[in-house]
Amino acid sequence: MLKSQEPNDERSWELDRPVRAAEYVRMSTDHQKYSTENQSDAIRQYAEARNIEVVRTYADVGKSGLKLEGRDALQKLIDDVQNGHADFTVVLVYDVSRWGRFQDADESAYYEYICRRAGISVQYCAEQFENDGSPVSTIVKGVKRAMAGEYSRELSTKVFAGQGRLIEKGYRQGGPAGFGLRRTLIDEHGAIKGVLRRGEHKSIQTDRVILALGPSEEVDLVREIYRAFVYDGRRESEIAADLNARGLATDLDRPWTRGTIHQILINEKYTGDNVWNRRSFKLKKKRVRNAPNMWIRAEGAFEAAIDRELFEAARTIINARSFRLSDEDMLQALQALFHRHGALSGIVIDECEEMPSSAAYRSRFGSLLRAYSLVGFTPERDYRYVEINRELRKLHPGMVREVIDGLQARGSDVRQDFETDRVIVNGEFSLSIVISRCIQSPTGLLRWELRFDTSLAPDITIVVRMDSTNHAPFDYYLFPHIDRLSDKLRLREDNDFGLDAYRFDDLNLLYDIATPVPLPEVA
């Protein structure tokens, strides 16, 4: 008599056991057609039909799919896969676009390859092809990846065109109003709804923002600044010193500086013009400064604080300062100074009253070293790093101010310790800003060397990594105090995941996590 096979046979149990899977869901905005819940529902139905058990969820909510940076959940998924911490053999994604709208389709394929190399397959639940590695699936998937990236490019173009039309109609697109002006909210019919305070934004999609004149005392002060500069011939620094001596402050309740006066004198919004696209930052690419012929403008969009003739007179004076001497005249003066002293430096130039300033030589020729080379002077040492460090030290207060403004705009309470430049946020944690100079190796590779001030002991150190010219930020690193491995660190263009997990294109994540959230009242 034959003995029947036991139903709980080990091999039979192995065949019946569900496949363990992780789901990855993502949406860019709260207004997106497919919410993470809808994606998850579709994934669960797909899993149930194939005897797959979803054991883990990785969710990026409100995250762009253009780059890996900022997508903490996908980074965690890749990290778990690479470090052998994954307790699943399949990753379920709604479709190719949810995996990412990478502008380089190869980047999307690379992250999938990392999973496949670790023995973990990626399956797209709503696509009409099986991701089985066949030639057909490979071709279709490549097309889908390209389409996902192209969708973002087309959307960016449409959004840019829409913003440009709003500018031409006289509507304000972001940014603080500035001294003497206020952001005013109007409805779709042009009726004024109120003045927006700093950090406030419109809440209704059809509302628009325009610029309007602020308090009369501020407007009068703007006109006084222009008259003092144009009619009285006073320099920006002299005007700033006079205002500070009178106890007057800027719209940010800070002392006046040469820079704040200069910005008022060169900004066309005080003539009522609406100007946009001076800088652009598209598809998470590097922020660039655009040429004037790319600017979008609408003349007379707002009520003017000053006459256009007065503004043009101020601009003429400022431009004349740069073109008063030709390049040849400046170099002849520099060469004569070199022959008298036998050497050149920024201090030697600045102490010579009949000479343009060292800053003027830097601006005209790109750097002092280039000006030196044009007159035949070669320093005994390479002083480029001294110039760069000097310029970066000048940038530091502005960087600190930018971080403070960004935090305050999101509602955080911020206090600065002026002795150490530490920033205390909401009385809960401290920040310190470090600017890292870019160094180019003889082979052309870029490096950044960091040195942390251990005496400050901030909770988070913001590292501003400068670009190859050391003129503008390249990206940012946010290093928590507990995760910092040493007091010195050397960064390459591309680092391992343990370091680049802290890298961001901007500081929006910091501003978001620092935003205080009011707790509901307890009944």
Side-chain angles (χ1 to χ4, degrees), residues 69 146 213 217 229 264 269 280 422 492:
E69 287 80 2
L213 297 182
E217 58 270 18
F229 184 75
I264 287 179
K269 64 187 175 185
S280 58
R422 281 201 321 165
R492 303 187 302 272

Side-chain angles (χ1 to χ4, degrees), residues 357-414:
S357 68
S358 60
Y361 279 98
R362 289 190 194 96
S363 175
R364 183 72 67 88
F365 299 102
S367 71
L368 279 180
L369 283 176
R370 183 170 183 273
Y372 294 163
S373 67
L374 292 174
V375 298
F377 171 61
T378 303
E380 294 181 3
R381 294 176 55 195
D382 185 352
Y383 286 98
R384 279 177 294 183
Y385 76 95
V386 177
E387 289 188 46
I388 293 171
N389 287 347
R390 183 188 297 119
E391 294 302 317
L392 295 185
R393 282 194 294 271
K394 293 180 182 178
L395 283 177
H396 190 267
M399 293 285 188
V400 174
R401 188 68 253 173
E402 183 178 328
V403 171
I404 291 175
D405 289 346
L407 291 165
Q408 290 178 334
R410 303 292 178 91
S412 293
D413 178 61
V414 184

Side-chain angles (χ1 to χ4, degrees), residues 25-42:
V25 294
R26 179 189 66 81
M27 69 176 186
S28 298
T29 69
D30 294 333
H31 307 291
Q32 207 161 28
K33 179 180 178 182
Y34 300 110
S35 69
T36 54
E37 291 82 2
N38 291 340
Q39 294 173 47
S40 188
D41 287 343

Side-chain angles (χ1 to χ4, degrees), residues 145-171:
R145 287 170 178 155
M147 289 172 60
E150 184 61 26
Y151 170 84
S152 294
R153 286 188 287 271
E154 290 181 357
L155 182 61
S156 174
T157 301
K158 292 176 181 177
V159 169
F160 180 84
Q163 288 177 312
R165 284 192 293 271
L166 292 176
I167 290 295
E168 292 170 348
K169 291 182 178 181
Y171 300 128

